Amino acid sequence: MAGELVAGVLLGPSVLGMVAPHVTGAVVNADGTPTTAISAVGTLAVVLLVGLAATELDGPFLRGNARKIGVISGVSFVIPLVAGIGLGLVLPARYVGDGTNTGDGTSTTEFAVLLGVAMSVSAIPVIARILGDLDLLRTRLGRLILSAGTLTDLAAWVALAAVSALATVGLRAWHLPLTLLAMIGSIAVALVARPVIGRLLTRLESGGHDAQSTAVMVITMVAGAAATDAMHLEAVLGALLAGIACGRRPERVVAPLRLVTTAVLAPVFLASAGLHVDLRALASPGVAGVAVGVIAVAVVAKLVGGYLGARLARLSRWESMAVGSGLNARGVVEIIIATTGLSLGIFSEETYMIVVVMAVVTSVMAGPMVAAAARRCRPDTGRSDLVGAESAQHGT
């Protein structure tokens, strides 16, 4: 992830824009936004990344550990959200966007809530990669982290959809009730469609039509994103719900789609996100100081939230530390929120840059922290029955 972002930064105003602006102009429009082609590829990457992450939800495991997952996801979401809102209310006005893309000025409340949402998310693709590298993905602890992170992101996407709707259509007339109704209706449709889509995909896979099953998954995710976008909700919410509707699929079906998404499409999106970053802003001591402060608050709040949530769910100290460390990875999910905030005019360029840097820093530090905590609670130490133990409910 860091490499693609760095490539985007190099192509943007920080480096190439100063040396050869005509070259930068080939990938960036005059207003600083990526060209239509790059934006289209990036949008598809986001839809598939979020949708594929949602398919990792394990229904039986969720039902068997509903209390633990609910407590962990709730506490790990609320504490960073409150910390981010509080921080957003006291930051100087220069960090609040001008709202030029929404038709109205941006209120401090919208800015603070969106900053809180950005601090609350966890990047499921990054978490899954970290857990896989550490051989924890199929353990009970790994699936607790992944499940809690997915539910946290569901809450974040709903909050993002609400903030986006308020920024674009405001509180006038019945807009807010209609927005809430649209979100509830979207979730209900996904739950109702889940068994129908699941049976269709299973039938295709049983008949050896893996390619057709993959195509149905892609169509479902794109359709879900388009539907929520048409309702003035965030497209990523529809993609997430579509992924939940598809459910967990055999690895042979998901692997080719995941490879294309992560190796081809996602790098384009990450590079396009880096195009917005102008590191020259960090030359200002004020901006640099705010960046350090915001990132520090985000890291501490998420670690505390994950740790306290896990302790309330009766996990051990080191298991709780592993949960907090894993959920602290924000990665591409936070970049999506930052990009949305910038496009809506809620975030200024400086805030966008700070949030993107936060995404990189937290994702890089999450792996070593999870590894260190997991080593302390391995089964051979007698300290954990969650690490290294397959769940009896695992159905794959």
Side-chain angles (χ1 to χ4, degrees):
M1 184 188 76
E4 290 89 347
L5 282 170
V6 170
V9 172
L10 293 176
L11 290 172
S14 299
V15 180
L16 195 60
M18 298 178 61
V19 179
H22 60 283
V23 178
T24 299
V27 293
V28 182
N29 295 319
D31 60 357
T33 60
T35 60
T36 302
I38 293 178
S39 296
V41 175
T43 300
L44 180 61
V46 169
V47 168
L48 295 182
L49 277 172
V50 174
L52 285 172
T55 64
E56 290 295 327
L57 281 175
D58 187 335
F61 183 80
L62 281 173
R63 289 189 291 270
N65 297 272
R67 180 187 173 277
K68 283 186 173 68
I69 296 170
V71 171
I72 293 171
S73 59
V75 178
S76 66
F77 177 78
V78 170
I79 289 181
L81 178 67
V82 172
I85 291 175
L87 190 61
L89 292 175
V90 300
L91 283 176
R94 67 174 293 183
Y95 297 97
V96 180
D98 56 15
T100 53
N101 297 328
T102 64
D104 298 310
T106 298
S107 70
T108 303
T109 301
E110 292 170 355
F111 169 78
V113 172
L114 191 58
L115 183 61
V117 172
M119 288 190 175
S120 302
V121 298
S122 300
I124 301 306
V126 176
I127 293 174
R129 177 66 179 273
I130 291 172
L131 294 175
D133 291 344
L134 297 175
D135 198 24
L136 295 173
L137 190 58
R138 298 301 182 189
T139 64
R140 289 180 60 205
L141 178 62
R143 279 184 284 159
L144 275 176
I145 296 173
L146 194 64
S147 300
T150 303
L151 293 184
T152 296
D153 281 0
L154 177 58
W157 295 132
V158 172
L160 177 61
V163 174
S164 300
L166 290 176
T168 53
V169 301
L171 288 168
R172 298 181 296 275
W174 293 95
H175 287 148
L176 182 57
L178 287 176
T179 297
L180 296 175
L181 183 62
M183 286 190 288
I184 295 172
S186 299
I187 296 173
V189 169
L191 295 177
V192 171
R194 178 181 170 89
V196 178
I197 296 174
R199 283 194 294 269
L200 173 60
L201 294 174
T202 300
R203 182 175 300 177
L204 290 171
E205 292 155 7
S206 299
H209 303 296
D210 292 352
Q212 287 80 357
S213 178
T214 302
V216 171
M217 290 178 63
V218 173
I219 292 171
T220 302
M221 293 172 189
V222 172
T228 52
D229 182 69
M231 291 186 288
H232 299 288
L233 303 176
E234 273 305 303
V236 287
L237 175 61
L240 181 75
L241 295 175
I244 293 174
C246 290
R248 299 192 72 179
R249 311 315 311 166
E251 183 63 19
R252 71 176 192 276
V253 176
V254 178
L257 180 58
R258 184 186 297 120
L259 178 62
V260 172
T261 302
T262 57
V264 180
L265 300 178
V268 176
F269 166 73
L270 293 169
S272 66
L275 291 173
H276 291 286
V277 177
D278 189 352
L279 296 178
R280 291 174 296 180
L282 288 178
S284 168
V287 176
V290 169
V292 172
V294 170
I295 294 172
V297 170
V299 170
V300 172
K302 196 66 172 180
L303 282 174
V304 170
Y307 181 85
L308 289 180
R311 292 294 282 167
L312 290 173
R314 302 184 182 279
L315 272 64
S316 71
R317 285 185 303 159
W318 286 110
E319 291 165 351
S320 301
M321 183 59 69
V323 169
S325 301
L327 294 178
N328 200 36
R330 292 173 173 88
V332 68
V333 179
E334 188 164 71
I335 293 174
I336 295 170
I337 292 178
T339 304
T340 302
L342 183 65
S343 64
L344 291 174
I346 298 176
F347 284 168
S348 67
E349 293 283 351
E350 291 89 348
T351 304
Y352 173 85
M353 180 191 64
I354 290 172
V355 174
V356 170
V357 173
M358 184 199 309
V360 176
V361 171
T362 55
S363 297
V364 170
M365 68 187 298
M369 292 181 66
V370 172
R375 283 196 297 269
R376 299 293 188 104
C377 53
R378 288 288 181 183
D380 57 1
T381 67
R383 299 176 185 173
S384 175
D385 63 350
L386 297 181
V387 180
E390 289 284 347
S391 170
Q393 298 171 337
H394 184 44
T396 57

